[in-house]
Amino acid sequence: MTGYASAQHSASVEGGQEPQSSSRLGLEIRAVNSRFLDLSFRLPDELRALEPALRTLLTARLKRGKVEVRAAIDVTDNQSLSTPAASQLQRLLTLQDSIQAWLPKARDLSVADVLRLCSGSGAAGTDWSEIAPSLAEQAVTELLAARAREGERLSAMLLDRIQQLRELAKQAAPLVPQLVEQQRLKFLERWKEAMALGDGAVAPEAAQDRALAEATAFAIRIDVAEEITRLGSHLDEIERLLKKGGDIGKRLDFLIQELHREANTLGSKSATLELTRISVDMKVLIEQMREQVQNIE
């Protein structure tokens, strides 16, 4: 199922008497429909080493879907012109002297270099190894909650389509006996006409028996009672699964295929426009269900 969730965590870096800079880790999880679980990660270099742990976390809690995890680290200077700490300045001076001892032509640090290095040194060193997994756990929980809400909406839609299919099945059930009786009367009329043209060459009893036999064979060809019964059984099972919940996506997908098969058979046996219309309406509803079932885990 589709879903989106995000989580953020901010960390401040002390410099002198006040926070000199802050960094923020933002993590997003986007999920769209897929028959299987497909994970992809877009992580900054600082978090590359955490990908296996994040993959394990998501695999344990998600079963289906194309899931993309994005993370970004933003560093902000709160006081870009604040006075650097004495310890930072001493450290930079020591490093500069060491480098120039080996590289005499290396230039001295400028004021801008000092401010930049002092403001960014602490932020760049923030350890996200413990924070990132907890953010991912929080985002996955939000994602599952969002997918659960979507699942409730999908379930309501599917239950509505099930009710409409039941109504169509009720309309189709009485059509077959009426059609069989009409066809039987037509056969009898044709045999009476044939007898009149044949000047009594065929016995009335034989003509009537032949008409009844033809009507019976016709009834067998167009009988859709079995298809309607199976369709009702599949609808009952789908409704039961929706109320039960859990990982039901693949089972629903199979049952939708069976519904489509019964609706196709109903249409192939149709001998009236009314039954054909019912079959077409069923296929439309079943196709709507099929599209939404693809989004259910």
Side-chain angles (χ1 to χ4, degrees), residues 95-109:
L95 291 174
Q96 176 179 271
D97 292 342
S98 298
I99 293 173
Q100 289 180 338
W102 288 92
L103 303 173
K105 294 184 179 181
R107 67 177 180 84
D108 293 338
L109 291 172

